[in-house]
Every structure is written in C-alpha cells, then in structure tokens.
C-alpha cells in the first residue's frame, strides 16, 4: 500500500475544492479542481469516524474525542458529529450533546445513531432534532440525513424530503444522502443519494414538482462508502479510492489509506 505521510502532488492549480475524508488512519485532505485530483495528504493521525463542517470549521469524531479545528473538546470517544452553528456529537451509547466552545451539554439519548447532519440525527427509530432537548420528528429505518436547503432523509424504503411533513421523493433502499452545503434555505439544489449500486443526482434548477423526474441515475464504477456533492460529484470507497465527476465521467485516485467512513467538501 502506498503511503501519504508526505504530501503527493499531481499538478498545482488555483481555485481548488477541499475534500476531507475520515479514515481508520486519520483525516485526509485532498485538493480537487473540477475532476482533477491534486495535492493530498494526511492532515491528522487518528481513528476518524465522522466529519462535519460546522460554522466553517472542520469537526472530527474520533475514537478518543471530538476535535474542533484540531483542538480536543473533552467529549470522549465519538461515533458521529454534525451541527450548524455549534457541534453536535453522539457516542456509541447514544448520548447526544452540544458543544458551546467551553463544555458539552447533554441533550438526551437515542439508540443506534447512524448519522448527524445539521441539527438532525438519523436512527433506526426515525429522525430526531437536536434543539434544547431531543425531539422525534418522524419516519423510521433512517440511515442518513442531509440538512442544507431542503432536509432529506435516506431510509430503508424511500428517500424523503421535509416539506409539509416528510414527503416521499424516491422509492428504494437508500443508504446515504448528501446535499451541496451552499444550497439556499428552502431550495433543493445539487444533491445525491445512494440506493444499493445506484447513485441518484438532483441538479440545481430542476423542477422539484416533477417528483422522480427531478433526479437522474448515475452509473458507478465502484461501491461508495461516502458521498458528497458540490460543483462536482464525489464518492470514496472503503479502501480509500476517491472518485470525482465534473460532468465528463468519473476520474479517480487511490489515496493509500483504507477504512473510509465519511467525507465532506469545503
């Protein structure tokens, strides 16, 4: 297996997009310009389990703590992290807490946390919202959530969007969902969702009233462990290969680290 202890360069370009991946060896930072993968390197050595960009700062859930901007916070071993203005984290026992910059405030406990995005938490029992306390806000069998623009929920039977309650978007056993973090509030911009070996993509400007027609399937050359979307589509395999599609097909690069569990763009 190749090593990336030192950064490797495949061409330097301006205007790159930054992609971070959580791996069993640490946090990997990758620069991407359109579909060209450039500089990548190991930014921090740890067992990284999840990532989130919270108020412009990278938060990392590790097997020892939650790191915010590389600083330890005293949460303890974490399973998932999210949040919009401040970090929200979960541990393997289902403890959910919010970090105010000085200390963690416990919000409650839920079983089997699968993902956190923004203030929404995905669990087998449904979606929970982290407010002053935890509130169950519907559905069941939820595998993943995405909150920018219009909240989406990937469940074992369907993909849902939040409108006047949870509204069916697509049928299928959905495992992962991601939305462009720059999406305007109340608008479903660029998004992608994984169901089995099929990735469905929603493009900016699509007529959302058209239902299934607003999404198009995209062929996948490998099985994703994590997905993301911005100006390009991104996915990473569990063994550490990053794929990017800027509209002309997939390009990929092996990053040399396995155990990929999460990815964020920007």
């Amino acid at each position: 297996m190749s090593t990336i202890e030192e950064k490797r360069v495949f061409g330097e370009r301006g205007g790159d997009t930054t992609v971070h991946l959580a791996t069993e060896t640490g946090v990997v930072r990758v620069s991407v310009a359109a579909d060209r993968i450039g500089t990548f390197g190991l930014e921090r050595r740890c067992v990284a389990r999840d990532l989130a960009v919270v108020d412009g700062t990278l938060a990392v859930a590790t097997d020892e703590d939650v790191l915010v901007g590389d600083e330890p916070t005293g949460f303890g071993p974490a399973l998932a992290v999210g949040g919009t203005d401040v970090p929200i984290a979960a541990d393997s026992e289902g403890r959910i807490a919010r970090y105010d910059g000085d200390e963690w405030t416990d919000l409650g406990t839920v079983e089997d946390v699968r993902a956190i995005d923004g203030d929404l938490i995905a669990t087998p029992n449904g979606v929970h919202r982290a407010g002053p306390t935890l509130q169950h806000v519907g559905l069941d069998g939820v595998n993943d959530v995405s909150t920018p623009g219009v909240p989406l929920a990937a469940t074992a039977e369907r993909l849902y969007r939040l409108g006047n309650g949870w509204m069916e978007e697509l049928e299928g056993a959905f495992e992962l969902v991601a939305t462009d973090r720059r999406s305007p509030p109340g608008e479903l911009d660029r998004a992608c969702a994984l169901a089995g070996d099929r990735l469905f993509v929603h493009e900016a400007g699509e007529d959302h009233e058209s239902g299934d027609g607003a999404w198009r399937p995209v062929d996948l050359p490998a099985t994703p462990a994590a997905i993301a979307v911005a100006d390009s589509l991104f996915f990473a395999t569990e063994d550490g290969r990053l794929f990017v599609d800027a509209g002309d097909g997939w390009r990929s690069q092996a990053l040399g680290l396995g155990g990929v569990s999460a990815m964020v763009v920007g």
Side-chain angles (χ1 to χ4, degrees), residues 1-8 23 25-28 40-46 255-257:
M1 182 177 69
S2 58
T3 178
I4 57 171
E5 284 296 313
E6 298 296 333
K7 290 186 176 180
R8 297 169 58 185
T23 81
T25 306
V27 178
V28 179
F40 61 90
L42 188 63
E43 192 165 82
R44 184 180 182 96
R45 182 173 290 277
C46 60
L255 303 178
L257 293 175

Side-chain angles (χ1 to χ4, degrees), residues 105-128:
T105 300
D106 287 354
L107 303 178
T109 302
V110 295
E111 292 184 3
D112 194 10
V113 173
R114 293 177 174 172
I116 303 177
D117 192 72
D119 63 351
L120 297 184
I121 303 162
T123 80
N125 293 323
V127 179
H128 298 258

Side-chain angles (χ1 to χ4, degrees), residues 96-234:
I96 309 294
R98 177 187 289 111
Y99 187 61
D100 65 7
D102 294 314
E103 62 182 6
W104 290 92
T105 300
D106 287 354
L107 303 178
T109 302
V110 295
E111 292 184 3
D112 194 10
V113 173
R114 293 177 174 172
I116 303 177
D117 192 72
D119 63 351
L120 297 184
I121 303 162
T123 80
N125 293 323
V127 179
H128 298 258
R129 175 173 284 118
T133 58
L134 295 179
Q135 178 186 8
H136 185 270
V137 291
L139 302 179
D140 57 20
V142 182
N143 295 315
D144 199 8
V145 287
S146 181
T147 57
V150 174
L152 299 172
T155 80
E157 296 183 351
R158 293 175 179 82
L159 179 70
Y160 290 89
R161 65 182 173 97
L162 185 59
N164 183 19
W166 289 104
M167 305 171 67
E168 181 180 326
E169 189 73 3
L170 293 171
E171 289 189 2
F174 284 89
E175 303 157 36
L176 299 172
V177 63
T179 309
D180 190 335
R181 294 194 306 108
R182 304 166 297 179
S183 301
E187 295 183 20
L188 184 59
D189 207 328
R190 296 206 80 199
C192 57
L194 180 70
D197 59 357
R198 304 190 74 187
L199 185 69
F200 294 86
V201 178
H202 187 284
E203 297 290 354
E206 293 280 3
D207 177 11
H208 198 230
E209 295 303 318
S210 62
D212 286 8
W215 296 81
R216 61 180 175 87
V218 174
D219 291 334
L220 292 171
T223 301
I227 61 175
V229 61
D231 293 327
S232 302
L233 285 172
F234 303 85

